[in-house]
Amino acid sequence: MQTEFSMKTSAGILLFKKDQGKIFYFLVHPGGPFWKNKDIGAWSVPKGESDEGECLLDRAVIEFEEETGKAIAGNFIELQPIRQKSGKKVYAWALERDLVLSGLQSNTILIDWPPRSGKKMEIPEVDQWQWFETKEARKKINPAQAGFIDELEALISGSE
């Protein structure tokens, strides 16, 4: 029997751009004290949990705006979902688009900190945004989400 924890679903956007023959990926770093000193494997596509029955692409677009302060639209490329080590299933759509990093702003969330203390702390959901070239992006991103980069690279090289 699956636990509730393993049935969580998230949806996100993998933004990418091409520049001088290279592909760059827009990734976000989670905010808060738990993630403060984590880097390799800690970055992610902007994403968030969806409710049962909710349109996952709509959720992905909403989460992108919540985590960056910027609305996004375009011809999205659906990627195959992945399952993270935590059991969470993540759906993602790729979109080729540039995004200027200055002026980005994340929403805030309340967390229990320290964990299980009953004390609440308000933190930004995302504390950093950055473009990474393919090789660096594969190092920085959550290991399971690297599958999104691999799939997109295969799609791009197959269409050129």
Side-chain angles (χ1 to χ4, degrees):
M1 182 174 158
Q2 285 189 318
T3 64
E4 181 180 315
F5 185 69
S6 67
M7 292 190 289
K8 289 185 177 174
T9 300
S10 282
I13 302 292
L14 177 60
L15 208 61
F16 70 101
K17 65 180 180 179
K18 298 174 190 169
D19 187 20
Q20 299 179 357
K22 295 181 180 179
I23 301 173
F24 293 83
Y25 296 92
F26 176 80
L27 301 178
V28 299
H29 185 270
F34 178 80
W35 296 101
K36 185 177 180 185
N37 297 316
K38 293 178 173 54
D39 186 47
I40 301 298
W43 293 71
S44 174
V45 300
K47 65 173 179 49
E49 288 186 15
S50 62
D51 294 325
E52 191 172 336
E54 180 178 25
C55 173
L56 294 174
L57 178 55
D58 289 348
R59 171 51 47 200
V61 169
I62 290 166
E63 291 295 332
F64 189 93
E65 185 168 0
E66 286 181 357
E67 295 183 4
T68 65
K70 303 288 182 186
I72 194 110
N75 295 319
F76 295 100
I77 303 164
E78 186 173 2
L79 302 171
Q80 293 299 311
I82 57 92
R83 190 167 300 277
Q84 295 184 163
K85 190 176 179 180
S86 66
K88 180 184 287 184
K89 193 169 190 177
V90 181
Y91 292 81
W93 286 261
L95 180 65
E96 185 172 2
R97 179 81 28 93
D98 197 359
L99 184 68
V100 177
L101 298 180
S102 63
L104 296 183
Q105 182 176 326
S106 175
N107 61 327
T108 60
I109 57 173
L110 282 176
I111 63 166
D112 284 334
W113 196 261
R116 296 176 291 287
S117 68
K119 295 178 182 174
K120 297 289 184 189
M121 173 188 266
E122 186 174 12
I123 62 165
E125 196 166 357
V126 169
D127 64 9
Q128 296 178 64
W129 307 264
Q130 198 165 326
W131 286 102
F132 295 104
E133 190 269 324
T134 303
K135 185 177 178 183
E136 189 72 4
R138 281 192 177 110
K139 286 185 208 173
K140 299 279 189 178
I141 199 166
N142 175 298
Q145 291 181 32
F148 295 141
I149 294 172
D150 296 339
E151 182 181 356
L152 185 60
E153 296 257 329
L155 289 170
I156 291 170
S157 65
S159 67
E160 291 178 353

